[in-house]
Amino acid sequence: MAFKQLFPGVFLDAGQRKLYVRNSVRSFRVHGEALREEGKNEYREWNPKQSKLAAAIAKGLHSLPIKPGASVLYLGAAQGATPSFVSDVVGAKGGVYCVEFAPRAMRDLLRVCETRDNMLPLLADARKPEEYAKEIEGGKVDCVFEDVADPQQAEILIQNARFLEKGGAALIAVKSQCISSIAPPEESYAEFKKRIASVFEVVEELRLEPFEQDHAFYSLRKK
Ligand SMILES: C[S@@+](CC[C@H](N)C(=O)[O-])C[C@H]1O[C@@H](n2cnc3c(N)ncnc32)[C@H](O)[C@@H]1O
């Protein structure tokens, strides 16, 4: 078998050591990524240079709370590139709530969501979770994922923690310059951890270089 499972729903090409997901929509791609057939499945390459979640996996993330059947609240869905990979990982029994506030990005995101039954686009501001709370089935998700590149990214995560049970998972990509454009990245990351400490404990912390400059990635657990 050419593909080895790294996490449920995430595969490693044994020869080239590239990441793949099982493509749930045949021939679908977002960045012209490679598609490969194996058995009755089509696999889609997931490039760590184009997705911070793939970068975190490539950098050795130990545990991935985004898994088949999981519900994910995705904050900062942009044009739907990484959300489409999350959609492939969680599969038909899971779901991805895609929050994005830029109308231009939303137009492209809608096109991606139209191809996938498990993605729900939400044109909303992640700083106002009350605006989309009624769309979240049962009011809870298994994982909140955030990639918004906003100075208030810690506070946005805390506001959206209402959708997690105690022990629930959050994943966040933190751009150091969003916290301070002059402080060294390590100081910005320390500041981020201080800001979320009352609500989350840090499970894993990774730096995303060389895939993303001055970015850290956190796997968190709600206290
Ligand atoms: C770095 S991009 C996300 C890229 C995406 N995660 C991917 O990998 O495909 C950040 C996105 O967050 C969106 N964003 C920033 N602040 C937001 C907010 N408060 N509410 C909703 N979306 C926001 C921006 O419009 C932008 O599309």
Side-chain angles (χ1 to χ4, degrees):
M1 159 138 181
F3 293 102
K4 183 173 142 240
Q5 185 165 277
L6 189 59
F7 295 112
V10 181
F11 303 86
L12 201 56
D13 166 332
Q16 300 178 51
R17 302 194 60 76
K18 290 181 175 168
L19 294 172
Y20 283 81
V21 294
R22 222 180 258 138
N23 204 0
S24 54
V25 180
R26 257 176 197 277
S27 307
F28 175 93
R29 48 179 137 198
V30 284
H31 300 297
E33 60 270 25
L35 301 176
R36 286 180 49 188
E37 289 285 335
E38 188 173 284
K40 54 182 173 31
N41 294 311
E42 184 180 76
Y43 291 80
R44 183 159 69 105
E45 189 185 340
W46 194 6
N47 187 342
K49 291 186 185 145
Q50 292 171 324
S51 166
K52 288 159 210 144
L53 180 53
I57 294 170
K59 286 294 303 275
L61 190 72
H62 281 112
S63 171
L64 183 64
I66 294 174
K67 53 182 78 158
S71 55
V72 178
L73 174 60
Y74 195 119
L75 308 174
Q79 289 83 4
T82 300
S84 76
F85 288 94
V86 172
S87 154
D88 282 347
V89 174
V90 302
K93 293 194 172 136
V96 192
Y97 299 99
C98 301
V99 177
E100 172 56 53
F101 72 177
R104 179 70 197 84
M106 179 53 73
R107 283 208 285 279
D108 294 334
L109 175 62
L110 284 172
R111 276 197 283 275
V112 174
C113 294
E114 273 165 16
T115 67
R116 289 156 186 272
D117 290 339
N118 69 355
M119 288 176 75
L120 182 70
L122 297 167
L123 179 63
D125 186 337
R127 290 169 294 195
K128 298 177 185 160
E130 63 282 1
E131 285 183 1
Y132 47 87
K134 64 177 187 318
E135 305 293 343
I136 312 286
E137 207 180 311
K140 295 285 181 227
V141 295
D142 298 308
C143 179
V144 175
F145 180 93
E146 182 180 324
D147 178 19
V148 296
D150 182 290
Q152 296 298 306
Q153 53 200 336
E155 290 69 25
I156 290 174
L157 192 62
I158 289 171
Q159 285 169 296
N160 284 273
R162 63 189 271 174
F163 300 114
L164 293 171
E165 304 279 9
K166 184 173 188 289
L171 299 172
I172 181 167
V174 174
K175 186 177 181 179
S176 73
Q177 274 138 14
C178 277
I179 294 177
S180 167
S181 55
I182 48 168
E186 286 313 328
E187 273 180 32
S188 295
Y189 303 144
E191 170 66 20
F192 168 77
K193 284 187 276 184
K194 202 167 93 189
R195 289 198 208 164
I196 51 124
S198 61
V199 180
F200 290 101
E201 62 179 295
V202 176
V203 180
E204 292 187 59
E205 175 176 14
L206 299 159
R207 296 288 295 258
L208 295 186
E209 292 86 0
F211 304 114
E212 288 283 348
Q213 225 31 58
D214 295 334
H215 274 75
F217 191 90
Y218 294 88
S219 172
L220 307 169
R221 187 181 297 127
K222 188 178 172 190
K223 287 182 177 172

